[in-house]
Amino acid sequence: MKPSTTSNPERKRDRSGRRSFFIRLLAAVGGGLATGSILHRIVRSRAAQSGDEHSVTLNTHPLAVPRSKEGPQSNV
């Protein structure tokens, strides 16, 4: 009678550890992508809301010297 190949311990491999590692890796990557997209949407919606609520007004200083030419020393 032929010996069974499944009973040979040298040919039998335990792949549960490798499978478990890749499942955890894929779960971590998927969770990171989901969390990142949710946080991105939250930040984007808050930025859009804050841009609509506040208006910016610019007041010129009464003693400011008008610039006649561009550059760092335009007032000289």
Side-chain angles (χ1 to χ4, degrees):
M1 222 190 226
K2 283 179 150 178
S4 174
T5 57
T6 57
S7 64
N8 190 353
E10 293 178 0
R11 292 183 177 241
K12 191 175 184 180
R13 292 185 181 177
D14 183 25
R15 296 185 182 198
S16 63
R18 183 182 297 177
R19 187 177 301 139
S20 174
F21 169 75
F22 283 113
I23 289 172
R24 288 181 184 180
L25 180 68
L26 288 174
V29 169
L33 288 174
T35 304
S37 66
I38 290 170
L39 288 176
H40 181 70
R41 287 180 186 173
I42 290 172
V43 170
R44 186 174 39 174
S45 67
R46 285 188 183 172
Q49 289 175 356
S50 67
D52 294 338
E53 294 175 3
H54 304 289
S55 62
V56 177
T57 57
L58 299 177
N59 296 325
T60 57
H61 193 275
L63 301 177
V65 178
R67 293 182 174 229
S68 57
K69 61 181 180 177
E70 293 183 7
Q73 298 179 350
S74 64
N75 296 339
V76 179

